[in-house]
Amino acid sequence: MNKKMFLCSITVFSALLFAGCQSSNSLAEYDGGEVKDSEVTEFLSEEKSEATLKVTLKKILGKKIKIDEKEINRLYKEQEKKVSDTVSKLTDQAKQTKNDIEFQLLLEKSTEKYLLSDEEALKVFYNGWQSPVKAYELAFTNQEEATAAAQELSTEGADIAKIADKYHCTTDTGIKEISLNTTNKEIENAVYALKNKGEVTPVVTTPFGYYVMVLEQASEKKSFEESKEQLQQAYLNVKLNASSTKDMITDTLKKNHVKFNDTNVTKMVKEMFV
């Protein structure tokens, strides 16, 4: 999942909601706390209204979820590397700070927790869910070579590694776990149609090349409890997005009785989130 989508969604919402926010000593109040004017300095590069929203959410959500400093530093270093590798480097104002990274992680993990707290929704999802399959996934740049490879792979005792090398396969020939809603839909449909170990898919044409899959282990549906870890990840792959983040924020604002100390802001919050 693209982590930037969460921050972008909040940026859009907060920019619309708090454009008219006025300065005061107490910018926001909620059950058990408040946000003071001096606290928004950690997001100095942003509009004060947006910073107020971020600090409010950070204080409330941060009471239940702690972000590992190592994870923040790892993502920060990745961001620095991307900037240094870019011909047109980002300006200092555009660089993602550690505070921004921490906030993004907090939103993501809070949304995950919010989604997984709905056990009934997870059970409904389970009814239509299929567990991952294990298969060899071979990619080719040439359709003729992919077709020839598929034919040879279908023969008894076929040596997958040798055939892959013979027809210039461009991917690692190891066994991969393939889940629904995580890769190309045509690839998923083809591999999930296989039932027996050693079966080979027809050549699948994608924007990225030509694919042939050899089944190692078909999808096996176990009980809800036995499947729960895989099920939860599959559920998040489908449900974790900007919309569910907005729902989580709505729920958080309601449950914590958040009040922004500007009548225009309060009115807009009710229209957008409540």
Side-chain angles (χ1 to χ4, degrees):
M1 168 79 39
N2 189 340
K3 297 181 185 299
K4 289 185 178 179
M5 72 184 299
F6 297 102
L7 181 59
C8 290
S9 65
I10 300 307
T11 300
V12 172
F13 297 147
S14 58
L16 289 173
L17 292 173
F18 303 102
C21 188
Q22 297 175 351
S23 176
S24 64
N25 184 46
S26 179
L27 301 177
E29 300 170 20
Y30 57 90
D31 289 349
E34 64 177 347
V35 175
K36 294 184 178 181
D37 191 69
S38 59
E39 293 181 278
V40 301
T41 55
E42 62 180 304
F43 295 107
L44 279 176
S45 64
E46 301 171 19
E47 293 292 331
K48 189 172 184 179
S49 56
E50 184 179 335
T52 301
L53 176 61
K54 284 189 173 184
V55 173
T56 303
L57 289 171
K58 185 176 178 181
K59 291 185 72 172
I60 295 172
L61 299 175
K63 289 189 293 185
K64 295 183 178 180
I65 294 179
K66 302 300 179 185
I67 305 301
D68 190 345
E69 187 70 25
K70 292 181 180 179
E71 189 172 8
I72 296 173
N73 289 333
R74 177 180 62 79
L75 292 172
Y76 183 73
K77 288 179 181 178
E78 288 180 6
Q79 177 68 19
E80 280 192 320
K81 186 177 185 303
K82 288 178 182 178
V83 172
S84 64
D85 290 345
T86 303
V87 175
S88 179
K89 294 186 178 181
L90 300 177
T91 63
D92 289 339
Q93 289 79 10
K95 286 182 181 178
Q96 194 173 35
T97 66
K98 288 188 178 181
N99 283 330
D100 291 326
I101 294 171
E102 181 182 11
F103 184 69
Q104 289 178 41
L105 291 171
L106 186 59
L107 285 182
E108 181 183 7
K109 294 180 186 299
S110 297
T111 305
E112 288 178 352
K113 186 175 181 179
Y114 169 76
L115 288 169
L116 296 179
S117 67
D118 191 342
E119 186 88 346
E120 289 305 311
L122 195 60
K123 287 180 179 178
V124 170
F125 181 79
Y126 168 75
N127 292 332
W129 173 73
Q130 292 179 275
S131 65
V133 302
K134 292 182 179 179
Y136 295 92
E137 183 182 270
L138 285 69
F140 305 88
T141 57
N142 182 284
Q143 187 173 15
E144 288 73 23
E145 289 186 327
T147 302
Q151 291 175 344
E152 289 194 28
L153 288 166
S154 299
T155 61
E156 187 175 351
D159 188 319
I160 295 175
K162 286 184 178 180
I163 295 171
D165 185 61
K166 177 181 178 180
Y167 292 104
H168 311 104
C169 173
T170 60
T171 55
D172 179 13
T173 56
I175 296 174
K176 296 181 180 178
E177 189 172 87
I178 301 174
S179 302
L180 290 173
N181 303 303
T182 59
T183 184
N184 179 274
K185 183 59 66 177
E186 285 71 25
I187 289 177
E188 291 176 4
N189 291 340
V191 76
Y192 270 85
L194 303 178
K195 302 301 179 185
N196 301 308
K197 181 177 178 178
E199 280 190 282
V200 181
T201 67
V203 176
V204 179
T205 303
T206 78
F208 316 104
Y210 303 93
Y211 284 78
V212 177
M213 278 69 67
V214 182
L215 185 66
E216 176 65 22
Q217 181 180 304
S219 175
E220 296 179 312
K221 191 157 187 176
K222 299 179 181 179
S223 70
F224 177 80
E225 289 300 328
E226 288 177 310
S227 305
K228 204 163 188 180
E229 186 174 341
Q230 285 185 326
L231 180 66
Q232 288 177 334
Q233 188 55 57
Y235 185 67
L236 291 177
N237 287 339
V238 174
K239 299 293 185 180
L240 189 62
N241 52 41
S243 177
S244 58
T245 300
K246 181 181 176 181
D247 291 341
M248 180 275 293
I249 292 172
T250 299
D251 188 66
T252 299
L253 294 176
K254 282 184 177 180
K255 287 183 176 178
N256 291 275
H257 305 102
V258 176
K259 176 187 176 184
F260 293 95
N261 292 320
D262 181 281
T263 55
N264 292 326
V265 172
T266 302
K267 180 181 178 181
M268 284 189 286
V269 167
K270 288 182 178 179
E271 290 175 352
M272 297 287 290
F273 288 102
V274 182

